[in-house]
């Protein structure tokens, strides 16, 4: 995860459909991006962190009709819900884009013109199977034995209409060459292998517009010069990453990382780079993809009504506890499962009994002392250095559980030291001061390393450790993570 020039880092989440409110799967992707953005910012880099809403889809029209609202009013309401959710979860995005904004529409029109000028758009008749859930066309061999979309369990609609096509097949060899010279373009590695194998099987040109038939609402961005065609939602949506910085801004510094879910990886790792090649624009640095979420072993489904609201969890356990569970429990790139039992186990075991208890013990003991700056014990110095190195390495590899495990290893080391030394019983003032200086220094370093993962908790701990004029003054915090039953 290296930036494309020193001092600047541009990361994006997907722009999310406004056909419903956010669930825990959306929160996971966004929290991962937020963690990476905060980690870069803590290193002194100028971070652009973009998220937003994808509004120009058939899903939006259907959802508005179901809610008995005018489409514009519906999208305004849902976009606000998404924006407020990320704000309440403490997401540090620097911008929030909507695909109904003028800046986006202007960029899409420019981008379309570039594809047209490259000779990569042409009109043709399309006949195929369209899945509304994916907002994508599916092949027969991608369906279940019952002819259903394997993800949405719904029979795709057979569509026959005149569309504009994008010459995706033209870029097959160029894409493979890019993958060969940039083996980290997609992460984790098994997702890269999936993308490469898909392209090697052969690419077909893709429909980039929908015909505005009688009875179909004119919602979206019209094809420039052809008002009877609407730009296909994905051909419009992907361009949002350029809309944020503008064409010139993208040329100067394209996105370093697109964080997405595995279900939209092909759009981002195949179609999007081909579009950029056609438009004569640089490619993003990397596309990273997380797996799917299940709830108690069952896939999230609107029909089952089992979606978990991240705000509900944050209200009950705290935002940082939610962040910790998602980042610690699920190896990035793999499918993950949420259950109340797992959440409580992580909360009470790792947060309340682990970090919370260690911070309370150390700061309670240190509060009674006025400590001078001392030389760290070599063993503490080694643990702190090894922890920093491990966290840096693991974050760069997107191994968030391992990064957090390294920090909890340092906490366990500190706890063991407190117990074995029986610091509270040390009678010699200098020896007690040295022990507490070591422990407070360890805790302070752990808190600093925690900032990208648990920002609120990190700040609470840091605020209790005051270094001034060669002196150290500590104060006991309120309980960071009160146990839950």
């Amino acid at each position: 995860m290296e930036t494309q020039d020193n001092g600047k880092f541009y990361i994006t989440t997907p722009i999310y459909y406004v056909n419903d409110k956010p669930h825990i799967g959306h929160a996971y992707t966004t929290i991962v991006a937020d963690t990476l953005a905060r980690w870069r910012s803590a290193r002194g880099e100028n971070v652009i962190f973009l998220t937003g809403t994808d509004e120009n889809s058939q899903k939006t029209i259907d959802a508005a009709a179901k809610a008995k609202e005018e489409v514009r009013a519906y999208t305004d309401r849902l976009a606000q819900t998404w924006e407020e959710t990320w704000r309440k979860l403490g997401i540090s995005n620097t911008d929030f884009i909507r695909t109904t904004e003028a800046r986006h529409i202007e960029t899409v029109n420019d981008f379309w013109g570039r594809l047209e000028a490259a000779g990569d758009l042409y009109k043709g008749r399309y006949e195929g199977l369209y899945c509304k859930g994916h907002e994508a066309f599916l092949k027969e061999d991608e369906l279940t034995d019952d002819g259903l979309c394997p993800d949405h369990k719904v029979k795709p609609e057979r569509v026959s209409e005149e569309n504009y096509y994008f010459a995706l097949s033209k870029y097959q060899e160029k894409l493979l060459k890019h993958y060969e010279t940039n083996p980290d373009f997609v992460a984790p590695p098994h997702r890269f292998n999936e993308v490469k194998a898909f392209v090697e099987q052969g690419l077909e040109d893709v429909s980039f517009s929908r015909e505005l038939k009688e009875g179909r609402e004119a919602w979206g961005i019209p094809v420039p010069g052809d008002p009877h065609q609407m730009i296909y939602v994905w051909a419009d949506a992907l361009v949002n990453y350029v809309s944020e910085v503008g064409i010139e801004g993208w040329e100067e510094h394209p996105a370093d990382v697109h964080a997405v879910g595995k279900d939209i990886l092909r759009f981002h790792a195949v179609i999007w780079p081909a579009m950029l090649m056609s438009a004569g624009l640089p490619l993003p640095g990397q596309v990273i993809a997380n797996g799917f979420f299940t709830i108690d072993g069952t896939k999230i489904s609107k029909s089952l009504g089992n979606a978990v609201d991240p705000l509900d969890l944050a209200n009950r356990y705290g935002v940082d506890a939610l962040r910790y569970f998602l980042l610690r429990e699920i190896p990035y790139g793999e499918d993950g499962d949420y259950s109340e039992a797992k959440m409580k186990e992580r909360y009470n075991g790792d947060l309340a009994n682990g970090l919370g208890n260690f911070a309370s013990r150390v700061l309670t003991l240190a509060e009674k002392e006025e400590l001078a700056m001392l030389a760290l014990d070599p063993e503490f110095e080694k643990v702190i250095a090894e922890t920093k190195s491990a966290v840096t390495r693991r974050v760069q590899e997107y191994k968030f559980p391992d990064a957090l495990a390294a920090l909890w290893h340092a906490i366990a080391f500190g706890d063991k030291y407190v117990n074995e030394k029986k610091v509270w019983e040390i009678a010699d003032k200098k020896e007690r001061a040295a022990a507490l200086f070591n422990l407070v220094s360890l805790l302070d370093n752990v808190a600093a390393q925690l900032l990208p993962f648990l920002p609120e908790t990190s700040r609470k701990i840091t605020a209790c450790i005051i270094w001034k004029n060669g002196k150290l003054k500590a104060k006991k915090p309120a309980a960071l993570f009160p146990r839950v039953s």
Side-chain angles (χ1 to χ4, degrees), residues 121-340:
L121 293 174
Y122 63 91
K123 238 178 181 180
R125 177 154 289 277
Y126 183 85
E127 292 190 15
L129 299 166
Y130 189 76
C131 172
K132 284 185 179 180
H134 283 298
E135 293 280 5
F137 293 97
L138 302 179
K139 298 178 182 178
E140 294 278 0
D141 59 8
E142 293 179 301
L143 305 180
T144 66
D145 292 339
D146 298 329
L148 306 179
C149 166
D151 294 325
H152 298 99
K153 309 303 180 188
V154 173
K155 195 168 185 176
E157 174 190 0
R158 184 163 291 279
V159 172
S160 176
E161 61 183 38
E162 189 175 49
N163 295 158
Y164 283 91
Y165 279 77
F166 173 62
L168 179 63
S169 59
K170 173 180 171 181
Y171 292 93
Q172 179 174 331
E173 294 307 316
K174 289 183 180 179
L175 286 168
L176 291 173
K177 180 67 174 176
H178 183 73
Y179 301 153
E180 182 182 341
T181 55
N182 297 273
D184 295 326
F185 181 64
V186 176
H190 66 285
R191 298 291 178 212
F192 174 79
N193 294 333
E194 290 172 6
V195 168
K196 186 178 176 184
F198 173 75
V199 176
E200 287 174 338
Q201 291 172 4
L203 295 177
E204 297 178 358
D205 295 350
V206 291
S207 171
F208 257 29
S209 71
R210 299 298 307 275
E211 191 176 4
L212 189 55
K213 296 179 179 178
E214 186 177 349
R216 178 180 290 174
E217 186 164 354
W219 178 257
I221 304 174
V223 169
D226 191 343
H228 299 292
Q229 294 277 335
M230 306 299 288
I231 296 177
Y232 170 49
V233 61
W234 274 104
D236 140 30
L238 288 163
V239 180
N240 92 89
Y241 306 126
V242 177
S243 302
E244 202 283 342
V245 294
I247 295 286
E248 290 184 3
W250 183 273
E251 288 176 322
E252 292 171 5
H253 190 107
D256 292 285
V257 175
H258 291 314
V260 302
K262 71 177 184 180
D263 55 328
I264 56 174
L265 178 58
R266 289 181 187 176
F267 291 100
H268 285 81
V270 180
I271 297 177
W272 177 227
M275 290 170 63
L276 289 164
M277 288 174 179
S278 175
L281 296 173
L283 273 56
Q286 193 175 46
V287 181
I288 62 173
N290 59 260
F292 284 151
F293 244 85
T294 55
I295 307 298
D296 293 315
T298 303
K299 188 178 176 183
I300 296 174
S301 167
K302 289 180 75 173
S303 60
L304 293 175
N306 66 340
V308 173
D309 186 341
L311 288 182
D312 176 57
L313 291 180
N315 289 335
R316 288 190 288 135
Y317 293 96
V319 170
D320 277 6
L322 171 63
R323 291 175 70 99
Y324 180 79
F325 175 83
L326 294 176
L327 295 169
R328 182 70 176 85
E329 184 74 18
I330 304 156
Y332 189 74
E334 303 295 335
D335 293 344
D337 183 69
Y338 170 83
S339 72
E340 194 76 11

Side-chain angles (χ1 to χ4, degrees), residues 97-108:
I97 196 165
R98 298 178 58 185
T99 55
T100 48
E101 290 182 47
R103 60 171 170 164
H104 176 67
I105 295 169
E106 181 180 343
T107 306
V108 169

Side-chain angles (χ1 to χ4, degrees), residues 73-124:
Y74 174 84
T75 56
D76 288 345
R77 179 171 65 83
L78 265 292
Q80 184 177 10
T81 296
W82 282 82
E83 195 163 8
E84 287 182 353
T85 296
W86 300 148
R87 180 179 54 78
K88 289 175 180 177
L89 291 180
I91 302 302
S92 62
N93 55 292
T94 58
D95 199 355
F96 186 96
I97 196 165
R98 298 178 58 185
T99 55
T100 48
E101 290 182 47
R103 60 171 170 164
H104 176 67
I105 295 169
E106 181 180 343
T107 306
V108 169
N109 286 329
D110 185 330
F111 206 99
W112 185 274
R114 288 168 176 258
L115 302 186
E116 198 168 42
D120 291 335
L121 293 174
Y122 63 91
K123 238 178 181 180

